[in-house]
Amino acid sequence: MANLSSSTVMLTGAGGALATAIAQELEDAGAQLVLVGRGEALARAADRFPATEVIDVDLADPACVEQLRRVKVDTLIHTTGDYAQQDAQKATDEDLREMFDSNMLTLFHAVQGVLPGMLKQKDGLIMGVSAGQAARLSGPKAALYTASKAAVAAYVLSVHDELKAKGVRGIVLYPMGAIDTPENREAGLKWEETIDPRGLAKSVAHALTRPDRAHVTELKVYPDH
């Protein structure tokens, strides 16, 4: 098992299926958690996992940045995001804004929140969750989702290239398929077609413990089929 006893990890999207699996893995590995989310989902996560800080904030709101800057962390794992399907010819400006606000703007604000502290301590790790469609640069009925998740990957990798000499590194996580959640099972997806969130979480913990000379920048995790 990974040893993260010296790490303080900010986990956004707390209470979601992937974030819950990651929080469990991080807790088992000894990490200190800072949970960021909204409403009832965040409250459930806070009840389940001991955390040094619990922050209820809208990451699409620029005002969140100053609130996040008050917390000292060395790792950010950003799982906040959304998925939607549209026919390409029916997609609207509002659909575009919603996808990029949920998937890219929230990441931008989270990074702006943690980056000053990471640069000051000359140590930091930022993980953004992209998607299999973005890794393939294609996604039927998901052009806006794919574009927004491709933006997540490009942003994290560009931050990594710019700041790695200053001690801040980036990792892009690509779940190469749907995650096994109650919602996806209700939608008709079978377990063998989906990725176990616990397996994803173990891959995340493994990537967080790689040394500088063996750093993982892109991590693709596939369903077992």
Side-chain angles (χ1 to χ4, degrees):
M1 176 181 292
N3 183 357
L4 295 168
S5 58
S6 62
S7 295
T8 301
V9 181
M10 178 179 288
L11 180 62
T12 72
L18 176 56
T20 297
I22 293 173
Q24 184 64 69
E25 189 67 23
L26 295 179
E27 182 186 40
D28 291 346
Q32 299 294 310
L33 296 176
V34 174
L35 300 177
V36 180
R38 301 302 307 275
E40 293 182 3
L42 176 62
R44 289 194 298 271
D47 286 342
R48 180 170 177 179
F49 301 106
T52 60
E53 297 276 351
V54 178
I55 304 174
D56 190 332
V57 70
D58 180 3
L59 289 175
D61 184 345
C64 74
V65 173
E66 287 303 321
Q67 190 170 352
L68 298 181
R69 284 182 177 173
R70 300 188 190 113
V71 183
K72 181 181 180 294
V73 301
D74 49 66
T75 302
L76 167 68
I77 301 177
H78 185 74
T79 76
T80 299
D82 201 3
Y83 172 80
Q85 288 189 334
Q86 310 97 4
D87 292 331
Q89 63 186 8
K90 295 179 181 179
T92 66
D93 286 1
E94 183 177 356
D95 293 332
L96 176 68
R97 284 191 294 270
E98 287 180 355
M99 276 291 96
F100 274 80
D101 282 359
S102 180
N103 292 324
M104 182 59 223
L105 185 61
T106 59
L107 170 64
F108 174 72
H109 287 155
V111 171
Q112 292 301 303
V114 301
L115 205 50
M118 290 182 175
L119 289 172
K120 183 177 181 179
Q121 65 198 18
K122 298 181 180 180
D123 181 51
L125 183 59
I126 294 165
M127 175 178 283
V129 179
S130 185
Q133 291 99 316
R136 296 187 292 265
L137 294 179
S138 65
K141 292 187 178 292
L144 299 183
Y145 172 76
T146 300
S148 66
K149 285 297 193 179
V152 166
Y155 179 74
V156 171
L157 293 175
S158 293
V159 168
H160 171 79
D161 284 345
E162 179 180 345
L163 299 178
K164 60 186 177 182
K166 298 181 179 181
V168 179
R169 298 171 293 153
I171 303 175
V172 181
L173 174 66
Y174 298 98
M176 301 300 290
I179 298 173
D180 186 4
T181 65
E183 293 78 12
N184 283 334
R185 290 199 181 195
E186 288 177 9
L189 293 177
K190 299 177 182 178
W191 72 267
E192 65 269 18
E193 301 171 335
T194 57
I195 303 173
D196 181 359
R198 294 169 299 180
L200 269 172
K202 290 183 182 300
S203 296
V204 166
H206 175 76
L208 296 188
T209 60
R210 296 308 87 204
D212 289 350
R213 293 183 64 195
H215 178 66
V216 175
T217 54
E218 295 182 271
L219 180 61
K220 297 179 181 179
V221 182
Y222 292 82
D224 186 18
H225 67 80

